[in-house]
Amino acid sequence: MQAQPQTAEQTLSAIASTVKHLSTSFASGLTRPLAWRKTQLEQLKRLASEREEEIMAALKADLGKCQLESWTSEVGFLISEIDHAISHLGKWSKPRRVSTPIIAMPGKSYIQPDPKGVVLIIGAWNYPFQLTLAPLIPAIAAGNCALIKPSELAPNTSALIAKLIPKYLDRDAFAVVEGGVPETTEVLKQRFDHILYTGGEAVGKIVMRAAAEHLTPVTLELGGKSPCIVASDCDLEVTASRIAWAKWMNVGQTCIAPDYVLVEKAFADKLIEAIKAKLKDFYGDDPAKSSDYGRIINQRHFDRIAGYLNGVDVTYGGQMDRDARYMAPTIVLNPPKDSALMQEEIFGPILPIVPLETIEQSVAFINARHKPLALYLFTGSSQLEQQVLENTSAGSVCINDAMMFMTNAELPFGGVGNSGMGAYHGQWGFDTFSHLKAVMKRSTWFDINWRYPPFNAHKLKWLKRVG
Ligand code: NAD
Protein backbone atom coordinates (compact mmCIF):
# COMPACT_ATOMS: atom_id res chain seq x y z
CA MET A 1 0.00 0.00 0.00
CA GLN A 2 1.28 3.48 -0.84
CA ALA A 3 0.96 6.46 1.51
CA GLN A 4 -0.77 9.48 0.04
CA PRO A 5 1.93 11.80 -1.32
CA GLN A 6 2.31 14.62 1.18
CA THR A 7 2.52 17.98 -0.59
CA ALA A 8 1.88 21.61 0.25
CA GLU A 9 -1.74 21.10 -0.89
CA GLN A 10 -2.42 18.55 1.77
CA THR A 11 -5.68 19.26 3.51
CA LEU A 12 -6.18 19.28 7.25
CA SER A 13 -8.46 16.26 6.98
CA ALA A 14 -5.70 14.21 5.34
CA ILE A 15 -3.46 14.56 8.40
CA ALA A 16 -5.32 12.02 10.55
CA SER A 17 -5.38 9.43 7.76
CA THR A 18 -1.66 9.96 7.09
CA VAL A 19 -0.85 9.27 10.74
CA LYS A 20 -3.16 6.24 10.67
CA HIS A 21 -1.37 4.90 7.62
CA LEU A 22 2.01 5.33 9.32
CA SER A 23 0.67 3.47 12.39
CA THR A 24 -0.52 0.59 10.22
CA SER A 25 2.89 0.43 8.54
CA PHE A 26 4.64 0.37 11.88
CA ALA A 27 2.36 -2.35 13.21
CA SER A 28 3.12 -4.45 10.12
CA GLY A 29 6.77 -4.68 11.21
CA LEU A 30 8.03 -2.83 8.11
CA THR A 31 10.55 -0.72 10.01
CA ARG A 32 12.05 -3.39 12.26
CA PRO A 33 14.69 -5.12 10.09
CA LEU A 34 18.10 -3.49 10.39
CA ALA A 35 18.62 -3.91 6.65
CA TRP A 36 15.53 -1.78 5.93
CA ARG A 37 16.72 0.92 8.35
CA LYS A 38 20.16 0.95 6.77
CA THR A 39 18.66 1.30 3.28
CA GLN A 40 16.53 4.25 4.42
CA LEU A 41 19.59 5.94 5.94
CA GLU A 42 21.53 5.40 2.73
CA GLN A 43 18.63 6.85 0.78
CA LEU A 44 18.58 9.92 3.04
CA LYS A 45 22.29 10.33 2.36
CA ARG A 46 21.61 10.06 -1.38
CA LEU A 47 18.94 12.74 -1.04
CA ALA A 48 21.45 15.09 0.61
CA SER A 49 24.29 14.46 -1.81
CA GLU A 50 22.40 14.14 -5.10
CA ARG A 51 20.22 17.19 -4.39
CA GLU A 52 22.94 19.35 -2.86
CA GLU A 53 22.51 22.11 -5.44
CA GLU A 54 18.73 22.34 -4.98
CA ILE A 55 19.14 22.34 -1.20
CA MET A 56 21.71 25.14 -1.35
CA ALA A 57 19.48 27.16 -3.66
CA ALA A 58 16.56 26.82 -1.24
CA LEU A 59 18.75 27.88 1.70
CA LYS A 60 20.00 30.85 -0.30
CA ALA A 61 16.42 31.87 -1.10
CA ASP A 62 15.21 31.48 2.49
CA LEU A 63 18.15 32.87 4.44
CA GLY A 64 20.72 34.17 1.95
CA LYS A 65 23.02 31.37 3.12
CA CYS A 66 26.38 31.07 1.42
CA GLN A 67 27.56 27.73 0.07
CA LEU A 68 30.23 27.05 2.67
CA GLU A 69 27.86 27.59 5.61
CA SER A 70 25.16 25.60 3.84
CA TRP A 71 27.60 22.76 3.51
CA THR A 72 29.14 22.80 7.00
CA SER A 73 26.00 23.44 9.01
CA GLU A 74 23.33 21.77 6.87
CA VAL A 75 24.18 19.29 4.09
CA GLY A 76 27.64 18.13 5.23
CA PHE A 77 26.52 18.00 8.85
CA LEU A 78 23.59 15.76 7.91
CA ILE A 79 25.76 13.44 5.83
CA SER A 80 28.29 12.95 8.61
CA GLU A 81 25.48 12.19 11.14
CA ILE A 82 24.07 9.61 8.69
CA ASP A 83 27.50 7.99 8.24
CA HIS A 84 27.92 7.83 12.00
CA ALA A 85 24.47 6.23 12.41
CA ILE A 86 25.06 3.67 9.66
CA SER A 87 28.39 2.58 11.11
CA HIS A 88 27.00 2.32 14.67
CA LEU A 89 23.54 0.95 13.93
CA GLY A 90 24.48 -2.66 14.66
CA LYS A 91 26.03 -1.82 18.01
CA TRP A 92 23.27 0.55 19.15
CA SER A 93 20.47 -1.86 18.37
CA LYS A 94 22.03 -4.90 20.05
CA PRO A 95 20.70 -6.02 23.45
CA ARG A 96 22.80 -4.34 26.16
CA ARG A 97 23.80 -6.89 28.77
CA VAL A 98 23.71 -5.80 32.43
CA SER A 99 24.53 -7.72 35.62
CA THR A 100 21.91 -9.74 37.53
CA PRO A 101 21.63 -9.69 41.35
CA ILE A 102 22.13 -12.90 43.37
CA ILE A 103 18.44 -12.98 44.31
CA ALA A 104 17.56 -13.42 40.61
CA MET A 105 20.24 -16.05 39.85
CA PRO A 106 20.40 -18.13 37.81
CA GLY A 107 19.35 -15.70 35.15
CA LYS A 108 20.50 -12.96 32.82
CA SER A 109 19.42 -9.36 32.28
CA TYR A 110 19.65 -7.06 29.33
CA ILE A 111 18.20 -3.92 27.78
CA GLN A 112 16.55 -4.35 24.42
CA PRO A 113 16.09 -1.10 22.41
CA ASP A 114 12.63 -1.19 20.85
CA PRO A 115 11.35 1.28 18.24
CA LYS A 116 8.76 3.60 19.78
CA GLY A 117 6.39 3.62 16.80
CA VAL A 118 5.24 6.68 14.89
CA VAL A 119 7.17 9.80 15.82
CA LEU A 120 6.59 13.45 14.99
CA ILE A 121 9.46 15.77 14.08
CA ILE A 122 8.74 19.51 13.99
CA GLY A 123 11.65 21.37 12.42
CA ALA A 124 12.87 24.94 12.79
CA TRP A 125 13.51 27.60 10.15
CA ASN A 126 17.03 28.80 10.97
CA TYR A 127 18.82 25.64 9.77
CA PRO A 128 15.71 24.43 8.00
CA PHE A 129 17.23 21.45 6.21
CA GLN A 130 19.46 20.12 8.96
CA LEU A 131 17.20 20.75 11.96
CA THR A 132 14.30 19.01 10.22
CA LEU A 133 16.19 16.00 8.92
CA ALA A 134 18.92 15.43 11.55
CA PRO A 135 16.30 14.16 14.06
CA LEU A 136 14.99 11.86 11.32
CA ILE A 137 18.32 9.98 11.29
CA PRO A 138 17.97 8.49 14.79
CA ALA A 139 14.22 8.06 14.24
CA ILE A 140 15.01 5.81 11.24
CA ALA A 141 17.96 4.11 12.94
CA ALA A 142 15.78 3.20 15.92
CA GLY A 143 13.16 1.67 13.58
CA ASN A 144 10.32 4.20 13.67
CA CYS A 145 7.90 5.66 11.19
CA ALA A 146 7.91 9.46 11.15
CA LEU A 147 5.74 12.41 10.27
CA ILE A 148 7.89 15.41 9.41
CA LYS A 149 6.70 19.00 9.71
CA PRO A 150 9.23 21.49 8.29
CA SER A 151 8.96 25.17 9.23
CA GLU A 152 6.73 27.28 7.01
CA LEU A 153 9.00 30.25 7.77
CA ALA A 154 11.61 28.78 5.41
CA PRO A 155 9.15 28.04 2.57
CA ASN A 156 11.67 27.07 -0.13
CA THR A 157 13.38 24.48 2.05
CA SER A 158 10.03 23.23 3.36
CA ALA A 159 8.72 22.67 -0.18
CA LEU A 160 11.92 20.92 -1.19
CA ILE A 161 11.79 18.55 1.79
CA ALA A 162 8.14 17.76 0.97
CA LYS A 163 9.11 17.04 -2.62
CA LEU A 164 12.20 14.92 -1.92
CA ILE A 165 11.26 12.76 1.07
CA PRO A 166 8.66 10.71 -0.84
CA LYS A 167 11.09 10.36 -3.75
CA TYR A 168 13.88 8.88 -1.64
CA LEU A 169 12.34 7.27 1.44
CA ASP A 170 9.73 4.56 1.92
CA ARG A 171 6.36 6.31 1.57
CA ASP A 172 4.72 3.81 3.84
CA ALA A 173 6.96 4.86 6.70
CA PHE A 174 7.63 8.58 6.21
CA ALA A 175 5.40 11.51 5.33
CA VAL A 176 5.78 15.27 5.28
CA VAL A 177 3.10 17.77 6.29
CA GLU A 178 3.74 21.35 5.24
CA GLY A 179 2.04 24.37 6.71
CA GLY A 180 1.84 26.76 9.63
CA VAL A 181 -0.23 27.10 12.77
CA PRO A 182 -3.48 25.40 11.54
CA GLU A 183 -1.60 22.38 10.17
CA THR A 184 0.65 22.11 13.26
CA THR A 185 -2.41 22.37 15.49
CA GLU A 186 -4.11 19.55 13.59
CA VAL A 187 -0.98 17.41 13.60
CA LEU A 188 -0.66 17.85 17.36
CA LYS A 189 -4.16 16.46 17.91
CA GLN A 190 -2.97 13.07 16.65
CA ARG A 191 -1.45 10.37 18.83
CA PHE A 192 2.29 9.89 18.38
CA ASP A 193 4.76 7.71 20.25
CA HIS A 194 7.32 10.50 20.54
CA ILE A 195 7.51 14.16 19.52
CA LEU A 196 10.75 16.00 18.86
CA TYR A 197 10.18 19.73 18.53
CA THR A 198 12.80 22.34 17.67
CA GLY A 199 11.86 25.98 18.13
CA GLY A 200 10.91 28.60 20.67
CA GLU A 201 9.76 28.22 24.27
CA ALA A 202 6.17 29.45 23.74
CA VAL A 203 5.37 26.87 21.05
CA GLY A 204 7.34 24.29 23.04
CA LYS A 205 4.71 24.65 25.79
CA ILE A 206 1.90 24.20 23.22
CA VAL A 207 3.58 21.03 21.96
CA MET A 208 4.04 19.67 25.47
CA ARG A 209 0.40 20.38 26.39
CA ALA A 210 -0.81 18.59 23.26
CA ALA A 211 1.51 15.65 23.97
CA ALA A 212 0.18 15.38 27.53
CA GLU A 213 -3.29 14.55 26.14
CA HIS A 214 -1.87 11.29 24.79
CA LEU A 215 0.88 10.86 27.41
CA THR A 216 3.37 11.15 24.55
CA PRO A 217 7.01 11.71 25.57
CA VAL A 218 8.64 14.84 24.15
CA THR A 219 12.08 16.10 23.31
CA LEU A 220 12.07 19.88 23.25
CA GLU A 221 15.03 21.53 21.55
CA LEU A 222 14.52 25.14 22.60
CA GLY A 223 16.76 28.18 22.88
CA GLY A 224 17.42 31.08 25.24
CA LYS A 225 20.29 33.42 25.98
CA SER A 226 23.60 31.56 25.71
CA PRO A 227 26.33 33.46 27.59
CA CYS A 228 29.94 33.77 26.57
CA ILE A 229 32.48 34.52 29.30
CA VAL A 230 35.74 36.08 28.15
CA ALA A 231 38.54 36.28 30.72
CA SER A 232 41.41 38.72 30.19
CA ASP A 233 43.89 35.80 30.13
CA CYS A 234 42.33 34.38 26.95
CA ASP A 235 44.11 34.23 23.59
CA LEU A 236 42.61 37.47 22.26
CA GLU A 237 43.12 36.83 18.53
CA VAL A 238 41.65 33.34 18.55
CA THR A 239 38.85 34.32 20.93
CA ALA A 240 37.78 37.25 18.74
CA SER A 241 37.79 35.08 15.61
CA ARG A 242 35.75 32.33 17.22
CA ILE A 243 33.20 34.66 18.79
CA ALA A 244 32.75 36.62 15.54
CA TRP A 245 32.36 33.38 13.58
CA ALA A 246 29.82 31.86 15.97
CA LYS A 247 27.81 35.03 16.52
CA TRP A 248 27.45 36.18 12.91
CA MET A 249 27.15 32.83 11.15
CA ASN A 250 23.62 32.78 9.70
CA VAL A 251 23.27 36.42 10.91
CA GLY A 252 23.06 35.33 14.53
CA GLN A 253 20.02 33.14 13.86
CA THR A 254 21.58 30.14 15.59
CA CYS A 255 20.13 28.66 18.78
CA ILE A 256 23.64 28.09 20.18
CA ALA A 257 25.18 31.39 19.04
CA PRO A 258 26.74 33.42 21.86
CA ASP A 259 23.85 35.68 22.87
CA TYR A 260 25.94 38.09 24.98
CA VAL A 261 29.50 38.40 26.27
CA LEU A 262 30.57 38.82 29.89
CA VAL A 263 33.97 40.45 30.22
CA GLU A 264 36.08 42.26 32.81
CA LYS A 265 35.50 46.01 32.58
CA ALA A 266 39.18 46.79 31.98
CA PHE A 267 39.34 44.29 29.09
CA ALA A 268 36.09 45.21 27.28
CA ASP A 269 37.53 47.80 24.86
CA LYS A 270 40.39 45.52 23.82
CA LEU A 271 37.95 42.70 23.10
CA ILE A 272 35.60 44.94 21.12
CA GLU A 273 38.47 46.25 18.98
CA ALA A 274 39.62 42.68 18.29
CA ILE A 275 36.10 41.54 17.30
CA LYS A 276 35.67 44.60 15.05
CA ALA A 277 38.94 43.75 13.29
CA LYS A 278 37.76 40.18 12.72
CA LEU A 279 34.43 41.37 11.32
CA LYS A 280 36.32 43.51 8.80
CA ASP A 281 38.49 40.50 7.87
CA PHE A 282 35.43 38.27 7.48
CA TYR A 283 32.92 40.51 5.75
CA GLY A 284 34.89 43.54 4.48
CA ASP A 285 34.02 47.20 5.10
CA ASP A 286 30.40 46.71 4.04
CA PRO A 287 28.94 43.32 5.10
CA ALA A 288 25.85 44.11 2.96
CA LYS A 289 28.05 43.45 -0.05
CA SER A 290 29.60 40.25 1.28
CA SER A 291 28.28 37.04 -0.27
CA ASP A 292 29.22 35.31 2.99
CA TYR A 293 26.80 37.33 5.13
CA GLY A 294 23.16 36.18 5.16
CA ARG A 295 19.80 37.81 5.77
CA ILE A 296 17.12 37.80 8.48
CA ILE A 297 14.45 35.18 7.78
CA ASN A 298 11.50 37.60 7.45
CA GLN A 299 10.33 41.12 8.26
CA ARG A 300 8.57 40.09 11.47
CA HIS A 301 11.85 38.80 12.87
CA PHE A 302 13.68 41.82 11.39
CA ASP A 303 11.34 44.18 13.29
CA ARG A 304 11.72 42.16 16.49
CA ILE A 305 15.52 42.34 16.35
CA ALA A 306 15.62 46.00 15.23
CA GLY A 307 13.35 46.80 18.20
CA TYR A 308 16.08 45.60 20.58
CA LEU A 309 18.16 48.63 19.55
CA ASN A 310 15.50 51.13 20.68
CA GLY A 311 16.87 53.15 23.58
CA VAL A 312 20.32 51.56 23.61
CA ASP A 313 23.59 53.06 22.37
CA VAL A 314 25.05 51.19 19.42
CA THR A 315 28.82 50.80 19.79
CA TYR A 316 29.46 49.33 16.37
CA GLY A 317 27.37 48.53 13.28
CA GLY A 318 23.63 49.15 13.47
CA GLN A 319 23.12 49.72 9.72
CA MET A 320 19.98 48.08 8.39
CA ASP A 321 17.73 47.76 5.36
CA ARG A 322 14.28 46.43 6.17
CA ASP A 323 13.29 45.63 2.58
CA ALA A 324 16.44 43.58 2.05
CA ARG A 325 16.13 42.05 5.57
CA TYR A 326 19.75 43.13 6.09
CA MET A 327 21.18 44.02 9.47
CA ALA A 328 24.89 44.67 9.94
CA PRO A 329 26.93 42.91 12.63
CA THR A 330 26.22 45.11 15.64
CA ILE A 331 27.86 45.48 19.05
CA VAL A 332 26.28 47.17 22.06
CA LEU A 333 28.49 47.88 25.06
CA ASN A 334 26.83 47.73 28.46
CA PRO A 335 23.11 47.72 27.60
CA PRO A 336 20.69 48.23 30.53
CA LYS A 337 20.04 44.91 32.29
CA ASP A 338 16.28 45.48 32.04
CA SER A 339 16.36 46.24 28.29
CA ALA A 340 14.69 43.78 25.89
CA LEU A 341 18.19 43.18 24.51
CA MET A 342 19.22 41.67 27.83
CA GLN A 343 15.88 40.05 28.65
CA GLU A 344 14.92 38.28 25.40
CA GLU A 345 16.85 35.79 23.28
CA ILE A 346 18.33 37.97 20.50
CA PHE A 347 18.49 35.36 17.70
CA GLY A 348 19.96 38.01 15.40
CA PRO A 349 23.20 39.88 14.66
CA ILE A 350 23.48 42.03 17.82
CA LEU A 351 26.16 41.21 20.40
CA PRO A 352 25.80 42.88 23.79
CA ILE A 353 29.04 43.14 25.77
CA VAL A 354 28.43 43.23 29.51
CA PRO A 355 31.34 44.51 31.60
CA LEU A 356 31.83 43.07 35.10
CA GLU A 357 34.20 44.16 37.89
CA THR A 358 35.69 40.66 38.08
CA ILE A 359 35.23 37.69 35.75
CA GLU A 360 34.25 35.51 38.73
CA GLN A 361 31.01 37.55 38.92
CA SER A 362 29.90 35.90 35.68
CA VAL A 363 28.78 32.78 37.55
CA ALA A 364 26.25 34.75 39.61
CA PHE A 365 25.16 36.69 36.51
CA ILE A 366 24.40 33.46 34.63
CA ASN A 367 22.75 31.76 37.60
CA ALA A 368 20.35 34.69 38.03
CA ARG A 369 18.85 33.78 34.63
CA HIS A 370 17.31 30.72 32.95
CA LYS A 371 19.62 27.78 32.31
CA PRO A 372 21.10 28.35 28.84
CA LEU A 373 21.30 25.96 25.89
CA ALA A 374 25.03 26.64 25.56
CA LEU A 375 27.69 28.31 27.66
CA TYR A 376 31.06 29.49 26.39
CA LEU A 377 34.20 30.31 28.32
CA PHE A 378 37.42 31.71 26.90
CA THR A 379 40.26 31.52 29.40
CA GLY A 380 43.71 30.09 30.01
CA SER A 381 42.87 29.42 33.66
CA SER A 382 41.88 25.88 34.60
CA GLN A 383 40.78 27.21 37.97
CA LEU A 384 38.21 29.53 36.35
CA GLU A 385 37.20 26.68 34.05
CA GLN A 386 36.44 24.43 37.06
CA GLN A 387 34.67 27.23 38.88
CA VAL A 388 32.34 27.84 35.92
CA LEU A 389 31.76 24.16 35.16
CA GLU A 390 30.98 23.26 38.78
CA ASN A 391 28.75 26.22 39.55
CA THR A 392 26.61 26.68 36.44
CA SER A 393 24.14 24.56 34.49
CA ALA A 394 23.80 24.60 30.69
CA GLY A 395 22.81 22.20 27.89
CA SER A 396 26.37 22.16 26.51
CA VAL A 397 29.62 23.91 27.35
CA CYS A 398 32.49 24.79 25.06
CA ILE A 399 35.77 26.03 26.49
CA ASN A 400 37.93 28.27 24.30
CA ASP A 401 35.55 27.90 21.35
CA ALA A 402 31.87 28.23 20.51
CA MET A 403 29.41 25.81 18.90
CA MET A 404 32.11 23.23 18.04
CA PHE A 405 30.59 20.55 20.30
CA MET A 406 28.07 20.13 17.47
CA THR A 407 30.76 18.41 15.41
CA ASN A 408 31.02 15.51 17.86
CA ALA A 409 28.23 12.93 17.48
CA GLU A 410 29.38 11.28 20.71
CA LEU A 411 28.08 14.28 22.68
CA PRO A 412 24.37 14.69 23.49
CA PHE A 413 22.75 17.84 22.11
CA GLY A 414 19.90 19.27 24.14
CA GLY A 415 18.91 21.87 26.68
CA VAL A 416 18.18 21.95 30.38
CA GLY A 417 15.43 23.83 32.21
CA ASN A 418 13.94 26.49 29.93
CA SER A 419 16.37 25.66 27.12
CA GLY A 420 14.77 22.27 26.59
CA MET A 421 14.56 18.65 27.60
CA GLY A 422 15.93 15.43 26.15
CA ALA A 423 18.73 15.16 23.62
CA TYR A 424 19.77 13.75 20.28
CA HIS A 425 22.79 13.32 17.95
CA GLY A 426 24.54 9.97 17.66
CA GLN A 427 23.46 7.29 20.10
CA TRP A 428 21.65 9.90 22.21
CA GLY A 429 19.18 10.27 19.36
CA PHE A 430 18.89 6.52 18.87
CA ASP A 431 18.04 6.12 22.57
CA THR A 432 15.59 9.05 22.43
CA PHE A 433 13.58 7.31 19.71
CA SER A 434 13.83 3.87 21.35
CA HIS A 435 12.08 2.40 24.30
CA LEU A 436 14.84 0.81 26.37
CA LYS A 437 13.00 -2.35 27.29
CA ALA A 438 14.21 -4.14 30.40
CA VAL A 439 14.39 -7.91 29.98
CA MET A 440 15.25 -10.56 32.57
CA LYS A 441 15.43 -14.22 31.64
CA ARG A 442 15.37 -16.76 34.48
CA SER A 443 16.39 -20.33 34.47
CA THR A 444 13.95 -22.90 35.86
CA TRP A 445 16.35 -25.60 36.99
CA PHE A 446 16.78 -24.05 40.43
CA ASP A 447 13.82 -22.51 42.30
CA ILE A 448 14.57 -21.60 45.88
CA ASN A 449 11.39 -21.10 47.91
CA TRP A 450 12.35 -18.11 50.14
CA ARG A 451 9.98 -15.70 48.42
CA TYR A 452 6.96 -18.01 48.50
CA PRO A 453 4.45 -18.18 51.38
CA PRO A 454 4.12 -19.51 53.94
CA PHE A 455 6.82 -17.19 55.31
CA ASN A 456 8.95 -17.85 58.40
CA ALA A 457 11.91 -16.36 60.25
CA HIS A 458 14.39 -18.59 58.44
CA LYS A 459 13.26 -17.34 54.99
CA LEU A 460 13.42 -13.71 56.16
CA LYS A 461 16.95 -14.22 57.49
CA TRP A 462 18.18 -15.56 54.13
CA LEU A 463 16.40 -12.91 52.12
CA LYS A 464 18.01 -10.20 54.28
CA ARG A 465 21.39 -11.79 53.69
CA VAL A 466 21.24 -12.01 49.89
CA GLY A 467 19.23 -9.17 49.24
P1 NAD B 1 8.42 29.15 16.76
O1 NAD B 1 8.69 28.32 17.96
O2 NAD B 1 7.67 30.43 16.91
O3 NAD B 1 7.66 28.35 15.63
C1 NAD B 1 7.96 27.02 15.31
C2 NAD B 1 6.78 26.37 14.62
O4 NAD B 1 5.71 26.25 15.51
C3 NAD B 1 6.25 27.16 13.42
O5 NAD B 1 6.77 26.54 12.27
C4 NAD B 1 4.74 27.02 13.51
O6 NAD B 1 4.21 26.19 12.50
C5 NAD B 1 4.49 26.36 14.83
N1 NAD B 1 3.56 27.18 15.63
C6 NAD B 1 3.63 28.50 15.88
N2 NAD B 1 2.59 28.88 16.65
C7 NAD B 1 1.86 27.77 16.90
C8 NAD B 1 0.68 27.50 17.62
N3 NAD B 1 0.03 28.47 18.26
N4 NAD B 1 0.21 26.23 17.65
C9 NAD B 1 0.86 25.25 17.01
N5 NAD B 1 1.99 25.44 16.32
C10 NAD B 1 2.49 26.68 16.25
O7 NAD B 1 9.82 29.44 16.09
P2 NAD B 1 10.76 30.58 16.50
O8 NAD B 1 10.48 31.09 17.88
O9 NAD B 1 10.85 31.59 15.43
O10 NAD B 1 12.12 29.77 16.57
C11 NAD B 1 13.20 30.34 17.15
C12 NAD B 1 13.50 29.65 18.46
O11 NAD B 1 13.87 28.32 18.20
C13 NAD B 1 14.64 30.28 19.20
O12 NAD B 1 14.31 30.34 20.56
C14 NAD B 1 15.78 29.29 19.00
O13 NAD B 1 16.75 29.32 20.01
C15 NAD B 1 15.03 28.01 18.95
N6 NAD B 1 15.81 27.00 18.25
C16 NAD B 1 16.31 25.96 18.96
C17 NAD B 1 17.10 25.01 18.34
C18 NAD B 1 17.68 23.84 19.06
O14 NAD B 1 18.18 22.94 18.39
N7 NAD B 1 17.64 23.82 20.37
C19 NAD B 1 17.35 25.14 16.97
C20 NAD B 1 16.79 26.20 16.28
C21 NAD B 1 16.02 27.13 16.92
Side-chain angles (χ1 to χ4, degrees), residues 13 23 27 37 63 73 102 104-105 121 138 158 165 204 217 265 283 303 311 363-364 376 378 381 421 457 465:
S13 61
S23 300
R37 303 184 201 181
L63 287 144
S73 62
I102 294 174
M105 291 285 195
I121 295 165
S158 173
I165 289 290
K265 208 184 231 171
Y283 305 115
D303 293 340
V363 167
Y376 304 119
F378 289 86
S381 157
M421 62 182 70
R465 214 170 262 187

Side-chain angles (χ1 to χ4, degrees), residues 130-197:
Q130 187 258 110
L131 287 173
T132 308
L133 298 184
L136 183 62
I137 299 167
I140 295 172
N144 298 280
C145 291
L147 186 71
I148 303 152
K149 176 24 206 104
S151 174
E152 77 282 15
L153 301 187
N156 295 283
T157 313
S158 173
L160 188 63
I161 289 173
K163 181 178 103 176
L164 296 182
I165 289 290
K167 282 196 163 70
Y168 283 84
L169 299 192
D170 190 330
R171 290 175 176 218
D172 285 326
F174 307 104
V176 180
V177 171
E178 280 198 279
V181 177
E183 290 79 6
T184 313
T185 305
E186 189 61 27
V187 164
L188 286 171
K189 285 182 193 156
Q190 315 305 315
R191 173 186 286 276
F192 294 95
D193 298 295
H194 195 96
I195 300 176
L196 188 147
Y197 166 77

Side-chain angles (χ1 to χ4, degrees), residues 41 44 47-48 72-85 92 119 121-124 127-142 146 148 161 165 169 196 198 221 406 409 413 423-430 432-433:
L41 289 171
L44 190 60
L47 181 160
T72 52
S73 62
E74 304 251 18
V75 182
F77 181 90
L78 194 85
I79 289 174
S80 79
E81 278 277 321
I82 295 171
D83 285 340
H84 183 80
W92 294 343
V119 304
I121 295 165
I122 303 181
Y127 291 84
F129 182 73
Q130 187 258 110
L131 287 173
T132 308
L133 298 184
L136 183 62
I137 299 167
I140 295 172
I148 303 152
I161 289 173
I165 289 290
L169 299 192
L196 188 147
T198 303
E221 297 285 344
M406 293 290 274
F413 175 59
Y424 71 118
H425 288 181
Q427 185 174 353
W428 306 95
F430 181 91
T432 286
F433 287 112

Side-chain angles (χ1 to χ4, degrees), residues 125-126 152 184 197-200 203 206 221-223 255 301 345 413:
W125 54 263
N126 56 333
E152 77 282 15
T184 313
Y197 166 77
T198 303
V203 179
I206 294 172
E221 297 285 344
L222 310 178
C255 56
H301 276 283
E345 178 182 3
F413 175 59

Side-chain angles (χ1 to χ4, degrees), residues 21-53:
H21 181 76
L22 296 176
S23 300
T24 308
S25 300
F26 180 73
S28 75
L30 171 74
T31 61
R32 287 191 176 257
L34 289 193
W36 179 91
R37 303 184 201 181
K38 193 164 169 251
T39 305
Q40 298 306 308
L41 289 171
E42 282 162 353
Q43 281 295 103
L44 190 60
K45 184 175 171 180
R46 271 190 61 211
L47 181 160
S49 43
E50 287 178 6
R51 303 299 184 129
E52 185 188 323
E53 266 182 39

